Amino acid sequence: MSKRNVGFSSYLRDFLSSKIGLAGLIILIILLIFTGIAISIPAKVYASWNNPASWNQYPEHVPPAWLSIFYPNKYFTTEELSPINMSLYSPAKNIFVAVITYQFNWSKVLPAYNVYFITSTNVTPIEEVIYWSKPDGYTLQINVPNGVFNVPFDLTSIRGDILNYISSITGKTPNIVNSTVLSSALFNSPKSNFTITEQGKYVVKIEIVSSSPMNITKSGLLLLGNSYGLMGTDYFGRPLDLGVLLGLPNALEIGALTSLVAVLVGIFVGGISGYLGGNKDSAIQWLTLVFLALPALPFLVAVSFVTQPNLEIEALLIAFLSWPFYAIIARSMALSIKSNSFVEADKLLGIPSYRVFFTHFMPRLIPITVAYMALGVPAGILLAQTLAFLGIAPANIVTWGGILDAAETYQAQVNGWWWWVVFPGAMIVIVAIPFVLIGFAIERVTLGER
Amino acid sequence: MGFTTYMIKKVLIYFSVLLATLTILYIFTFPILQEIIAKSINFQVAQFSQTLFKNAHSLNSTQIQIAVEKYRESLIAAYGLNQPIIDKYFIQMYNLIRFDFGTAYFLQAPSGSREVSSIIAYYLPNTILLFTTATIIFIVTGTIIGLLSAKSKFWEKVIAIIAVIHSSIPTWWLGFVLIAALAYAVKVFPPGGMTSVPPPKNPFDYGISVLYHMSLPLITIFIVNVGGFAYIVRSLVTSIMKEDFVITAKARGLPDSRILYRHVLRSASPSIATQAILALAGSLGGSLTTEVVFEWPGVGLLTYVAITLNDLPVILGITYVLTIVLLVGLFLGELVYGLLDPRIKVGE
């Protein structure tokens, strides 16, 4: 073992001069900044994650938006339109009509993924009709069914008239009715049997009829793109970048808490065991073995059924299972420290053994403790995410393992929704790496290069 | 102290560890166990009353009810539900030692048996096949890379990188990504399962099919674990390199490779063997989720199915079995260590 100055500042200097340690520290700081952002997200958003209805107006299972840079013809993002004109008039007594006009230029070779109509009024309309004018001049009239007034609705809620239009052109009703089929009727040219997009100026008029005077409180038109955000969306349209961000604080918390408890307990138990030696050492080793033999994953699964743990209890359970590993390491370190002559000297001087332990023994274990605390964080994170992947996670918490569990359930790999698999998993790796780097760096600093 | 005494001592220690570990499990899962026993009693009572109603025509309904109640009481006594907690504990321990984990709620072994132990016995060999093969492959490769890294700077850098990979990538996630890439995007490997459907009849074709289905999980486990093992071997080897006998050998002018393979490897082998057996025992319990991703019909997939069905007896049974497997692995590790390292036989 190298002879170095034992002192915090010298360790710190050595640590900062190591490239991997510095790299780990920088990644960690960036992650902490993102954690701050994630914590500042309102609890409402957090709570809505598991409510599919909250994500209606997002395109479902679409890849990240930045793909449009590489494939400009294939991917585009959502366009949000505000009305260019709104007029209210009353053609007869007790009949009030509002007309909202939207206009947009469509220059993409693909139709929009879906169209969302957002209108809300202070009254219940009698009738709501959409006039969809295509660049070639054809106007499609769509009657909105009663049930969907005043709530944002998409093409599948008004499919009746669109399906009639499709069958009037092609002569048959499509077997599968989804938003893609419906929007192709709205955007594609009927001459090409709805295979070529009509480019040019589209005008959409929404006519709302009511029996009492009304106010339009909200109006908008969403042309959903086939790509979204930094990481795409999942099966329900939940943006994965939000999910990944929401999962960050609890991953770090569980990793840090697990590692802190497990390493402190492990080093203390292992240190005492190595220091005392003899029968007491054997007894502590026996105890360590008892806990080592508990298989982590099935044990946690079984216990989760009893306790339904929250985040902190889950972390403590993981720590409860992982301290023996650190105890074994600490014991072997303690044995090598014990062979140093200063222990003999202390004994000869008549210093009580508990004081030798706390003043001379434990301080020499501190560097390795810090190194293993860093190295222990990824293990805790991995185990927690694995549990979440198995469907065992504290309730009301967004975890990457949980997102990946959903990806597995909805067969993301079969459907080629790679972004759903890659990003949450990559986050587990990205969060684990700085701790591994820092741990390795501290280990090298304290134990010497070789 | 001879080797036999050493072995007997170890057997006693490990048996006591087994009992203690099972006790901890028992303490943590006590409420589940009570629920499982109660459900099992209800099930048996329902069956009993059905057979009575069908067969015992001479009895009226009150008599049947009395008989059913008597039966229920006898069952409660048999399972020890009405007994003090200490008796419950001993009954449970006795059952566990005999691998009697009760009956599953929903799951069945292919033979039709609902006994948890026979369900697990059907799936455990598949898990052992996959993970033992994988562990042997990464241990052999890891040892070679670890030894190489003690000699060359290049391999040392490689090891540092793959060791980082080892501690930060979840195996199941890598499997997930590899399936998406190599089984669905580029159709090189099968996406999952143990054999093709239907399984080939000819034993040779069957073996080939299993190997083919095993290759992607093997690659995944290999990538994730080889670095960690190489790192362990490297630190073992480098610490031995500093010892006097190696320096003496160098002074004698022996070639580096001879020192490494003859002297260093020989004295590192007990530790490497222990680590290898630890890895083997650990891999069985630790990588259960990998099976879920690859739909490998082993204990991991069984656990997953049991979780989705809330089949508690099966989950508990798996926990007990894996505890025993892990302990047997650790015990074998100690034996090998004792065989390889002469110092232990002489006495501690």
Side-chain angles (χ1 to χ4, degrees), chain B residues 25-272:
Chain B
L25 271 176
Y26 181 75
I27 293 167
F28 268 90
T29 53
F30 180 74
I32 300 188
L33 277 169
Q34 298 309 303
E35 187 189 321
I36 290 172
I37 293 170
K39 271 197 185 175
S40 152
I41 289 177
N42 281 343
F43 180 73
Q44 289 183 42
V45 167
Q47 269 191 335
F48 178 74
S49 73
Q50 255 179 10
T51 41
L52 268 193
F53 271 111
K54 254 187 217 156
N55 304 328
H57 299 292
S58 57
L59 299 171
N60 64 31
S61 61
T62 341
Q63 281 169 317
I64 290 180
Q65 214 131 54
I66 291 166
V68 166
E69 274 316 305
K70 262 196 182 152
Y71 183 68
R72 182 193 296 278
E73 268 159 33
S74 72
L75 278 180
I76 287 176
Y79 281 103
L81 270 192
N82 56 351
Q83 278 156 16
I85 189 157
I86 190 84
D87 289 16
K88 284 183 190 173
Y89 166 76
F90 281 115
I91 292 172
Q92 180 66 18
M93 283 299 130
Y94 178 65
N95 286 340
L96 291 180
I97 301 286
R98 291 183 306 141
F99 292 98
D100 180 1
F101 308 123
T103 33
Y105 292 166
F106 309 105
L107 285 165
Q108 262 186 1
S111 62
S113 162
R114 298 246 319 257
E115 287 294 311
V116 171
S117 49
S118 58
I119 297 174
I120 295 175
Y122 177 79
Y123 289 101
L124 193 61
N126 296 344
T127 300
I128 290 176
L129 172 69
L130 176 62
F131 285 102
T132 313
T133 319
T135 314
I136 288 170
I137 294 175
F138 80 68
I139 281 172
V140 171
T141 328
T143 310
I144 294 169
I145 298 177
L147 286 172
L148 284 174
S149 78
K151 267 205 314 193
S152 86
K153 280 264 173 243
F154 167 76
W155 279 104
E156 210 190 314
K157 288 223 168 78
V158 172
I159 269 204
I161 294 167
I162 51 184
V164 170
I165 291 175
H166 165 75
S167 9
S168 58
I169 292 188
T171 317
W172 47 273
W173 176 67
L174 184 68
F176 216 158
V177 173
L178 288 183
I179 290 172
L182 295 180
Y184 287 106
V186 187
K187 293 182 174 56
V188 187
F189 290 108
M194 193 171 160
T195 55
S196 44
V197 181
K201 292 230 167 54
N202 178 348
F204 180 74
D205 289 345
Y206 187 87
I208 295 289
S209 177
V210 170
L211 270 182
Y212 181 50
H213 282 75
M214 231 162 92
S215 45
L216 200 51
L218 284 183
I219 293 170
T220 313
I221 300 170
F222 178 77
I223 293 175
V224 172
N225 289 306
V226 72
F229 198 75
Y231 196 79
I232 292 172
V233 172
R234 192 200 76 119
S235 44
L236 283 174
V237 168
T238 43
S239 71
I240 290 170
M241 292 287 256
K242 280 184 229 145
E243 286 196 21
D244 293 344
F245 75 94
V246 179
I247 297 168
T248 321
K250 273 188 188 154
R252 272 161 60 203
L254 293 176
D256 271 3
S257 58
R258 191 185 154 92
I259 296 174
L260 195 63
Y261 294 115
R262 288 283 179 80
H263 295 72
V264 176
L265 187 57
R266 182 174 289 172
S267 73
S269 61
S271 311
I272 293 179

Side-chain angles (χ1 to χ4, degrees), chain A residues 286 290 292-295 298-299 302 305-306 378 386 389-390 404-405 408 413-414 421-422 425-426 429 432 443 450, chain B residues 16-17 20-21 24-25 28 31-32 149 156 167-168 172-173 176 184 231 242 289 304 310 312 315 319 322-323 326-327:
Chain A
W286 181 85
V290 168
L292 191 71
L294 285 170
F299 176 77
F305 274 103
V306 186
T386 305
F389 179 69
L390 286 173
L404 288 165
D405 182 29
E408 157 100 36
Q413 75 276 38
V414 183
V421 178
V422 168
V429 180
E443 207 177 31
R450 275 206 153 196
Chain B
S16 66
V17 167
T21 311
I24 292 177
L25 271 176
F28 268 90
I32 300 188
S149 78
E156 210 190 314
S167 9
S168 58
W172 47 273
W173 176 67
F176 216 158
Y184 287 106
Y231 196 79
K242 280 184 229 145
T289 18
Y304 187 66
N310 263 6
L312 296 171
I315 296 172
T319 317
L322 287 179
T323 308
L326 202 64
L327 272 173

